[in-house]
Amino acid sequence: MAKSTTDKGAAKRSSETSTKGASKGPRPAEKAKGAAGKPAGRASTRREFERAKSVQPVGITGKERPHDIITQMFPAYVGRQERTAYELMRKSALEDHCVFLTLSGAMTPAGLHQSSLIPLLERGVIDCITTTGANLYHDAHRVIGHGIREIDPNAGDLQLRLARVIRIYDLGFWEETLLETDKLFSAILQRPEFQRKMTTPELHYLLGKSVAELEDALDVKSPSLLATAYRYGVPIFVGAVQDGSIFLNIVKLRRLLGDAFKLELDVNDDVFEMGAMQHHCFGTLGKKMAIWILGGGVPKNYTLQGEPLLDQILGVPTHGFDIDLQFCVDPVDNGALSSCPAGEGHTWGKVSAESVQTGSVYVHCDVTAVFPWLTYALLSDPRVHRAPRRLYDARARAVAALDAEVQKRRKKLAPTLTYALPAPRPIEPLPGEVATAKRAPKKKKGATSGKKRGAAAKPKKGKDAVARKRK
């Protein structure tokens, strides 16, 4: 269900999306129709059914490989969704897809990065990450010696607040943990290398470098996600960077230090850079792409919107994601972006028709309940190991290449900059402004208007002039 791929010259927001995808062959339902377009008969339907995989699990002995358990013992329901996700993860790794991983929520407090994500980075499976500020901020707690503990979610929040214990469902940590982590990021962000305008991958690369140095100094055994991404050249995007505690400390630094604190985040270049990364993968490297969506939210759409940015906004033909798999608890019928399945994404030009049919799945589950197990099965295969692609090192080249493609299309894009807007209405003064105007002092008698300050009034002619002379 959750897929994403767009062909070259990919779909527009209009109905072209479906026709382009369909041009490469009939959909499964169409294959079942006869030459006259009528539904297939009973015999052909039975033949199709007989070719389907038979459900025949065997007893588990405890000696099976993880791969065998998943592929043979998960034939139905959410179990089959898990099996399909595993098969697509395996295909992504073994066929050398560029893998974009999105991570929502606060999953680093639960240790998902330590159990699953960092091992995947170390094996070269993950090439780019989009996540939340919360995941990166809470990841730093353990680096500076603070623990996160399992607690009873029903223990009583009023008592926890009195004891200064912060709760994330069934996890807890001291309030001092937040305050110490604030000090850490405040100190790092004042370093000279941060005093300029940058994108979120640049910010998180520099933060990762500083945290990696801290880990080495403190002899930290379990590295953070920030430091590991820095070491392996994996760019980290945060789409809603202002929604998180790292940015709250940036706000504090700007207010306290004023112009001496020069860090700025360029959201325009950030969005362009995401599109450039995807264009680099399919255009320059000639690789297929996969997106692994853990949760939903902003990280999901921030990554997927690279396709309509390229094709529909900038006019640059896209290849898109060949594989799209998602783990999420949200129902797909509430209109939310988090649970938007691949077919719905296809209508926006984010996902190709081929991917909708054969390269996607929406696993209706809690990520933390499933993903570590699938990662274990995946990494049990020694072939799932490749050299890091280090997309961060290719940032400048990727941005330059996409910019060159956009400049080629300046003439074609020019009509998209205009729209027949109605003439603007005169701005009427507000009630307070009207009252102020009424109270304005009247000009003194004999005062000149419209003349330069200090200019002498011209002498009057006629009777008035004679009268003045007489006086």
Side-chain angles (χ1 to χ4, degrees), residues 123-364:
R123 297 278 282 267
V125 177
I126 305 301
D127 298 299
C128 184
I129 295 173
T130 308
T131 187
T132 62
N135 276 318
L136 302 177
Y137 175 81
H138 292 303
D139 183 23
H141 298 335
R142 298 179 179 92
V143 175
I144 56 176
H146 287 272
I148 297 175
R149 302 182 182 280
E150 298 179 8
I151 63 173
D152 181 358
N154 301 310
D157 291 331
L158 297 179
Q159 287 74 18
L160 290 175
R161 181 56 188 160
L162 289 172
R164 292 298 186 262
V165 173
I166 307 293
R167 181 171 76 89
I168 304 177
Y169 188 56
D170 55 359
L171 301 174
F173 49 86
W174 298 116
E175 185 179 59
E176 298 94 288
T177 301
L178 297 179
L179 303 180
E180 287 294 316
T181 307
D182 290 338
K183 290 181 180 180
L184 170 66
F185 281 111
S186 292
I188 292 174
L189 290 165
Q190 292 178 69
R191 289 181 168 178
E193 60 266 33
F194 289 90
Q195 307 313 308
R196 61 182 177 86
K197 183 180 287 188
M198 62 183 69
T199 61
T200 59
E202 292 177 279
L203 171 67
H204 299 126
Y205 182 82
L206 293 174
L207 286 174
K209 180 177 183 293
S210 294
V211 173
E213 292 169 354
L214 182 62
E215 289 177 354
D216 292 340
L218 298 176
D219 195 26
V220 173
K221 302 301 182 186
S222 296
S224 63
L225 183 60
L226 270 172
T228 306
Y230 159 74
R231 293 183 177 110
Y232 288 88
V234 175
I236 298 179
F237 288 85
V238 171
V241 66
Q242 74 278 19
D243 183 18
S245 291
I246 295 177
F247 194 84
L248 296 185
N249 283 282
I250 292 175
V251 171
K252 175 186 69 179
L253 291 168
R254 173 61 61 84
R255 291 298 158 187
L256 292 179
L257 304 180
D259 292 340
F261 183 71
K262 302 182 184 303
L263 173 60
E264 291 184 47
L265 294 172
D266 192 327
V267 295
N268 192 311
D269 282 359
D270 206 76
V271 173
F272 190 83
E273 194 169 309
M274 173 60 83
M277 284 294 178
Q278 295 176 18
H279 180 261
H280 175 74
C281 289
F282 70 78
T284 303
L285 301 181
K287 297 293 184 180
K288 293 182 177 181
M289 297 195 301
I291 182 168
W292 297 4
I293 305 167
L294 309 188
V298 171
K300 172 184 177 179
N301 189 64
Y302 199 74
T303 307
L304 285 174
Q305 74 176 8
E307 297 308 301
L309 168 69
L310 292 171
D311 187 68
Q312 300 168 8
I313 305 298
L314 301 177
V316 178
T318 59
H319 174 80
F321 290 99
D322 300 275
I323 288 176
D324 179 334
L325 57 98
Q326 180 175 5
F327 305 87
C328 189
V329 296
D330 289 355
V332 299
D333 58 357
N334 63 358
L337 188 281
S338 289
S339 57
C340 166
E344 187 178 334
H346 171 61
T347 68
W348 286 82
K350 299 176 181 178
V351 180
S352 75
E354 290 74 25
S355 181
V356 172
Q357 293 173 29
T358 60
S360 73
V361 65
Y362 185 97
V363 187
H364 195 256

Side-chain angles (χ1 to χ4, degrees), residues 376-437:
Y376 169 66
L378 181 68
L379 297 184
S380 295
D381 187 340
R383 294 177 298 166
V384 179
H385 197 166
R386 60 193 187 189
R389 213 178 303 272
R390 299 196 66 87
L391 286 185
Y392 185 86
D393 298 346
R395 283 179 53 257
R397 297 194 304 274
V399 169
L402 179 57
D403 189 59
E405 291 295 323
V406 174
Q407 298 309 318
K408 290 178 188 176
R409 294 163 173 80
R410 289 183 69 89
K411 186 175 180 180
K412 183 180 177 181
L413 292 173
T416 69
L417 306 182
T418 61
Y419 189 85
L421 295 171
R425 295 178 179 177
I427 300 176
E428 297 181 2
L430 297 173
E433 294 174 338
V434 174
T436 303

